[in-house]
Amino acid sequence: MNTVHMKINGMPVEIEAGSNILAAAKKVNINIPTLCYHPDLPAWAACGMCVVKQENSPKLLRACAAPVQENLSIITHDAELYQIRKTVIEMILSTHPNECLTCARNGTCELQRFAAEFGVRHQPYEVRIMDLPKDTSTTSIVLDPSKCIKCGRCVQVCQDQQGVFALEFIGRGDLTMMSPAACLPLNDSPCIKCGQCSAHCPVGAIYEKDEIGDFVRAVGNPKNHVVTQIAPAVRVALGEAFNLPAGTITTGKIYAALRRLGVAKVFDTNFAADLTIMEEGSELVKRLTTGVGAIPQITSCCPAWTDYMEKYYTDMIPHFSTAKSPMMMQGAITKTYYAEKAGIDPATIYSVAIMPCTAKKYEIGRDEHMHASGFNDVDLVLTTREFARLIKASGIDFLSLQDEEADSPIGAYAGAGTIFGNTGGVMEAAIRTAYNLMTGEDLKDVNVEAVRGLEGVRSGVVDVKGTKLKVAIAHGMANVSSLLEEIREAKAAGKEPPYHFIEVMACRGGCVSGGGQPYASTDDVRAQRIAGLYTDDERSTVRCSHQNPEIQQLYADYLGAPLSEKAHHLLHTTYTERPIYKK
Ligand code: SF4
Ligand code: SF4
Ligand code: SF4
């Protein structure tokens, strides 16, 4: 590693060449304020908050974009820099609606925090606020362009990290504004509802559709039997909203909180993640052994990814697993198997899913297969952020809750189910069960290290008793194209497919940093949440989906076998070509 030696406020720092000054300051525990900069994204140097001085030079540098250099000496904080930064905030506030109390980001807004920290008490500049309508066209996220501070994060994340190009800047100068592509309603744009723009926006200009009121009303209706499920990634991130470190496993407290909120049953999406593996793993083995069905098989549990593929890579539709996502399987099983076993009229069941994901709000209504039970399989999706607000607004002291267990018969999960929440986890869970399905034996070591990690595209070969299973993983939507192009090229050349099984997750790191998770997802936070999921996996007495006793019971009592007619009806779906632009 090439390093350079420099000084920050007189303190010596040794740091990797190519780093920026922000990183050098961090090494000596100095935080330089930033607004437009986000560690996931290339520096854009738009806002001016991170200006620093080079000692003995009149130059002001932008710490996000300026690279470290040998012998550089930087001053990060003094009276002049304080005033520059305060002026930047005051200038932004002159074009920003003064609506903090009714804003979706009240309490979590980065601009609000800086205004407080820099003691902004009045508005010295002429106020010029654009009165622009909100875009509520999707069922997932809301755009409020009046609040946009033009930092560029959403456009960068949508275009560069997600490869979607649903957002852009239009207009010039003072009239510049963030807008869906071609000025369409967001729902008619190429948007895949991943919510990464909302997770990266520093202010309240993009946020999840808030449906907490629907939950409260549903629980308050005595005719409803409210049943809940929580996704894998929620349990290792929710704690951050209560000042616990990222990656803290709070599953037992979440179950307890849901009961305090008044729900009738607390189930777990991890159960259905195991069910997904049974169906998806069986489908893979069937494709490999019978030659019927396209290889590679590609995972389909991420609704933003399926939406993307249906718009951008329609030739890949036959490659998709027909297995529904764990959330939708859980919903269908809740209103059929559980209802039947409990003797409850499914029409009275109100099914709520707590998800890390804004796209899940879209998924519950994506087509008729989402009503396989004869009802809405899932009635409501709350993101992790909404759930945290709900717990706080309900007066529940989350940290003091004693751990509780999930309810039977669709609440137990194997370690394989919990690692669905991170990139590579679905693949690892599938390998654990596919190995059993192909050989009749269990893997001696279920830790499939070859598929773990945070690189955007990974591939490997798994030895299944002499059969070489070629697998690949992509996360962050823009990373998938290289894999799909490889498949296309092999097809065009009449060659063997380069892979047998591919896992794709739209969000960087997988669902652990989904668009509905607590703010401030960075690779460090992602790594901590992922470590939490693997700890949950390692602590599980059952590590493989096919060993989950409640899954075995479900097949014995109700579904028959994986890929049975009943399983197909309830647990599988189809895909269809969709226009990139609706109009
Ligand atoms: S939800 Fe995703 S695809 Fe849609 S605008 Fe935001 S980042 Fe782009
Ligand atoms: S909408 Fe948010 S993320 Fe996008 S440019 Fe405006 S302030 Fe930045
Ligand atoms: S990766 Fe997970 S959180 Fe992100 S869009 Fe897909 S399902 Fe949702």
Side-chain angles (χ1 to χ4, degrees):
M1 179 176 81
N2 280 341
T3 57
V4 300
H5 303 82
M6 59 179 291
K7 283 190 175 163
I8 298 283
N9 298 342
M11 289 180 275
V13 179
E14 183 180 357
I15 188 163
E16 194 178 346
S19 306
N20 61 19
I21 291 172
L22 287 178
K26 198 105 189 144
K27 281 208 111 184
V28 284
N29 301 316
I30 291 173
N31 291 321
I32 299 170
T34 56
L35 255 180
C36 70
Y37 178 75
H38 190 287
D40 280 353
L41 305 168
W44 214 41
C47 71
M49 277 295 281
C50 70
V51 284
V52 292
K53 287 178 178 171
Q54 185 175 341
E55 205 164 25
N56 302 321
S57 159
K59 262 205 220 165
L60 288 174
L61 301 172
R62 305 232 171 175
C64 66
V68 293
Q69 290 171 35
E70 190 68 23
N71 295 327
L72 194 64
S73 185
I74 291 293
I75 295 162
T76 65
H77 292 78
D78 67 9
E80 190 185 3
L81 291 169
Y82 176 86
Q83 192 50 52
I84 291 173
R85 289 172 184 150
K86 189 169 181 181
T87 302
V88 168
I89 299 162
E90 288 167 347
M91 298 279 288
I92 293 172
L93 289 176
S94 73
T95 60
H96 192 81
N98 198 359
E99 294 173 357
C100 291
L101 286 184
T102 52
C103 179
R105 292 295 297 271
N106 186 11
T108 62
C109 172
E110 295 175 39
L111 178 63
Q112 187 187 48
R113 175 166 65 81
F114 284 134
E117 287 175 2
F118 281 80
V120 176
R121 294 287 175 268
H122 70 283
Q123 181 50 271
Y125 301 105
E126 183 195 348
V127 175
R128 293 161 293 116
I129 294 165
M130 285 200 277
D131 185 16
L132 301 166
K134 287 183 185 170
D135 183 325
T136 56
S137 60
T138 79
T139 52
S140 297
I141 56 174
V142 176
L143 305 184
D144 186 355
S146 300
K147 297 223 178 87
C148 174
I149 61 168
K150 290 115 183 150
C151 72
R153 288 187 196 175
C154 61
V155 175
Q156 277 188 309
V157 81
C158 186
Q159 297 189 359
D160 301 344
Q161 189 171 291
Q162 302 303 76
V164 177
F165 294 82
L167 293 176
E168 61 188 6
F169 279 122
I170 57 166
R172 316 194 88 188
D174 272 6
L175 298 178
T176 303
M177 57 181 274
M178 164 275 296
S179 164
C183 293
L184 289 168
L186 187 63
N187 203 39
D188 297 342
S189 82
C191 175
I192 57 171
K193 279 74 85 178
C194 67
Q196 284 304 315
C197 49
S198 73
H200 286 77
C201 180
V203 297
I206 310 182
Y207 51 94
E208 69 281 0
K209 189 176 168 212
D210 190 314
E211 296 177 293
I212 294 173
D214 295 84
F215 178 90
V216 173
R217 281 187 289 279
V219 170
N221 182 345
K223 291 187 186 141
N224 283 339
H225 180 82
V226 178
V227 171
T228 51
Q229 55 169 305
I230 64 158
V234 175
R235 71 204 65 215
V236 290
L238 181 76
E240 292 159 47
F242 300 92
N243 299 320
L244 293 173
T248 307
I249 304 165
T250 56
T251 317
K253 289 188 193 304
I254 292 173
Y255 295 157
L258 285 166
R259 293 200 178 95
R260 300 300 177 281
L261 288 166
V263 310
K265 289 288 171 190
V266 178
F267 297 134
D268 201 313
T269 318
N270 285 10
F271 167 84
D274 285 334
L275 186 56
T276 302
I277 286 302
M278 295 302 294
E279 293 296 319
E280 197 169 62
S282 302
E283 189 185 5
L284 175 66
V285 171
K286 188 175 168 195
R287 289 190 194 201
L288 289 172
T289 54
T290 66
V292 178
I295 295 289
Q297 180 173 299
I298 306 179
T299 60
S300 56
C301 47
C302 168
W305 157 231
T306 53
D307 193 20
Y308 183 87
M309 182 276 299
E310 288 179 327
K311 288 170 176 165
Y312 287 93
Y313 283 95
T314 50
D315 57 323
M316 293 292 154
I317 286 178
H319 291 269
F320 254 135
S321 164
T322 59
K324 287 181 188 170
S325 72
M327 176 184 79
M328 294 314 306
M329 286 197 185
Q330 186 81 17
I333 290 298
T334 296
K335 293 201 179 180
T336 53
Y337 172 66
Y338 163 68
E340 199 174 298
K341 246 184 140 66
I344 293 169
D345 177 359
T348 66
I349 295 180
Y350 190 85
S351 158
V352 181
I354 314 293
M355 293 282 134
C357 178
T358 50
K360 293 278 172 193
K361 287 177 181 273
Y362 148 78
E363 185 186 17
I364 60 174
R366 77 184 287 270
D367 59 33
E368 71 281 3
H369 297 290
M370 307 301 133
H371 314 283
S373 63
F375 308 90
N376 295 334
D377 293 342
V378 177
D379 293 287
L380 180 71
V381 170
L382 297 182
T383 62
T384 313
R385 292 196 293 266
E386 288 171 276
F387 186 46
R389 293 199 296 272
L390 172 63
I391 292 170
K392 290 176 183 177
S394 305
I396 295 169
D397 182 357
F398 185 73
L399 296 179
S400 72
L401 290 172
Q402 295 298 307
D403 285 358
E404 295 184 8
E405 297 294 323
D407 288 304
S408 257
I410 52 172
Y413 65 88
T418 209
I419 58 174
F420 254 64
N422 59 264
T423 170
V426 180
M427 177 64 72
E428 182 164 348
I431 288 168
R432 292 180 190 178
T433 286
Y435 189 96
N436 174 278
L437 294 171
M438 289 167 80
T439 67
E441 295 174 17
D442 284 332
L443 273 169
K444 287 197 174 53
D445 180 4
V446 297
N447 298 305
V448 190
E449 301 283 347
V451 300
R452 298 183 187 179
L454 258 180
E455 301 100 283
V457 183
R458 310 191 293 286
S459 60
V461 179
V462 180
D463 188 347
V464 185
K465 280 200 143 183
T467 302
K468 304 290 182 199
L469 193 65
K470 289 181 275 179
V471 300
I473 295 146
H475 60 112
M477 207 72 275
N479 285 322
V480 75
S481 57
S482 62
L483 290 178
L484 300 184
E485 290 309 326
E486 269 189 79
I487 300 168
R488 279 179 172 168
E489 277 165 27
K491 261 191 199 173
K495 291 185 183 161
E496 286 285 303
Y499 306 105
H500 298 110
F501 192 34
I502 294 178
E503 179 207 290
V504 179
M505 290 287 163
C507 299
R508 180 163 174 75
C511 305
V512 287
S513 63
Q517 290 282 69
Y519 294 111
S521 291
T522 61
D523 279 354
D524 285 347
V525 171
R526 290 180 183 102
Q528 290 173 64
R529 292 175 184 169
I530 289 171
L533 289 178
Y534 279 110
T535 301
D536 197 28
D537 171 34
E538 281 157 18
R539 284 182 191 160
S540 304
T541 45
V542 170
R543 305 277 303 275
C544 301
S545 301
H546 59 278
Q547 296 164 345
N548 179 339
E550 289 193 353
I551 290 286
Q552 292 168 348
Q553 198 72 45
L554 169 66
Y555 279 109
D557 289 355
Y558 194 70
L559 293 174
L563 309 184
S564 67
E565 204 181 320
K566 201 169 200 173
H568 253 290
H569 171 66
L570 291 175
L571 310 179
H572 290 254
T573 185
T574 57
Y575 306 97
T576 182
E577 193 171 333
R578 295 177 201 267
I580 294 174
Y581 289 91
K582 281 214 184 119
K583 288 171 191 165

